[in-house]
Amino acid sequence: MNDRTVWWEAGKVRMIDQRRLPLSYEIADFETVPGVAFAIKDMVVRGAPAIGATAAYGMALAAHHSTAAMPAALLDELRQAKRTLDAARPTAVNLSWATARLLQLAERLAANGANVARIRQALLDEAQRLADEDVEINRRMGRHGAAVIPQNANILHHCNTGSLATVGYGTALGVIRAAHEAGKNVHVWVDETRPRLQGARLTAWELMRDGIPMHLIADNAAGLLMRQGRVDVVLFGADRVAANGDVANKIGSYKLAVLAKENGIPCYAVVPTSTIDLSLPDGDHIPIEERGWEEVVMIGDTQIAPDDVPVYNPAFDVTPHRYFTGIITEEGICYPPFTESLRRAKEAAEARIRQAQTDFV
Ligand code: MRU
């Protein structure tokens, strides 16, 4: 089994096919930018950081297969590749964050007189660096987050935020892993996460492989468990965080955060700074993806609702910032007022990336 969710090999973007797990473990290969965009849209790969890394490899793929002789022509192709990849899924900002990072690097190299071969190699190196950084960032978030997980904690977790949602280790699940590795004797209530069942299919698979104690629960069980005092902390990830700390994440997250506050339970979002979008003032500005009827009407190959039933299937919801105890990033835990703390975390991370690229360009 590969220890990464997505990787580059011999001119191909390779990934674990998450549509098939846990019943079958298969690797899917993509060699074109439209192919990579399809993989993101169809959720062969999913989870905000994982689709960011995949899109970065998609940009490297565009350069790798380009026949452009001059940098200006290559830049045009990269801009087109960015448009194709960014359109694959609208909510996770990591996608356009990653493609922008690669395009800007290419533009800077071209402005400094680099030729096509040099830009091509630099984009592949940058995509690899972004993927490596993702794992390192997740481990840092894990260390910060583990500090707020009590001994013997019962943790309620939504969707899949693990290795599979990232390049490796995970965000909220990375915090759980770090707490487990620190010997905190944690137990996880795993929300099944209808309609795509990322909790039942993917989070349960990851936790069981790691030997972390867990129970799978129907999404509707969360309120009962919280009221019975059987949840000590609620953790989930994010696909986009607005400047004020409002968090877009998998549909159902908002309900959990409200229940947590009602029951006096701390609730954290675990978020790499690449998921913070300071250009949006609040969560009302975050685009919410709507997905197809078949995700609600079908479970696997089995239809569970009448033919032609009208369906509405929003894939994400927005939790207002007031419901969060804190937002855990690789730069540390951000506390209210989030407008200040998130901006400081984002600036620190951007300075680090700029410095690395300056050394490189
Ligand atoms: O639709 P998905 O499976 O891509 O949604 C994933 C989530 O909502 C995750 O919680 C989010 O991307 C953060 S995980 C690192």
Side-chain angles (χ1 to χ4, degrees), residues 57-132:
Y57 283 131
M59 294 292 281
L61 201 57
H64 184 81
H65 291 302
S66 170
T67 54
M70 301 303 289
L74 177 60
L75 289 181
D76 281 346
E77 289 178 26
L78 289 171
R79 289 186 191 108
Q80 179 54 46
K82 176 172 168 42
R83 279 193 290 276
T84 303
L85 292 162
D86 289 356
R89 291 191 77 185
T91 302
V93 74
N94 306 60
L95 190 51
S96 56
W97 170 86
T99 54
R101 177 167 156 176
L102 268 80
L103 180 60
Q104 282 160 16
L105 177 64
E107 286 170 344
R108 279 219 306 284
L109 285 163
N112 287 349
N115 64 18
V116 166
R118 165 98 175 93
I119 297 172
R120 184 179 288 137
Q121 185 58 48
L123 287 194
L124 179 55
D125 292 345
E126 184 70 357
Q128 300 280 30
R129 192 170 21 249
L130 187 148
D132 293 346

Side-chain angles (χ1 to χ4, degrees), residues 134-190:
D134 181 69
V135 181
E136 189 212 311
I137 282 169
N138 292 337
R139 288 194 176 272
R140 277 166 54 198
M141 286 195 295
R143 284 193 291 275
H144 293 307
V148 298
I149 305 296
Q151 280 287 345
N152 306 315
N154 283 295
I155 303 168
L156 185 76
H157 174 274
H158 196 57
C159 195
N160 172 267
T161 67
S163 287
L164 292 166
T166 62
V167 179
Y169 202 68
T171 59
L173 215 141
V175 169
I176 293 170
R177 282 200 162 99
H180 173 74
E181 286 162 12
K184 290 203 163 179
N185 190 31
V186 295
H187 164 265
V188 189
W189 298 114
V190 176

Side-chain angles (χ1 to χ4, degrees), residues 29 89-90 116 156 167 179 192 215 217 225 241 243 257 273 296 300 323 330 352 355:
D29 292 344
R89 291 191 77 185
V116 166
L156 185 76
V167 179
E192 60 177 346
H215 282 87
I217 56 169
L225 291 172
V241 180
T273 52
V296 181
Y323 290 103
E330 74 272 22
R352 203 192 313 277
Q355 183 57 50

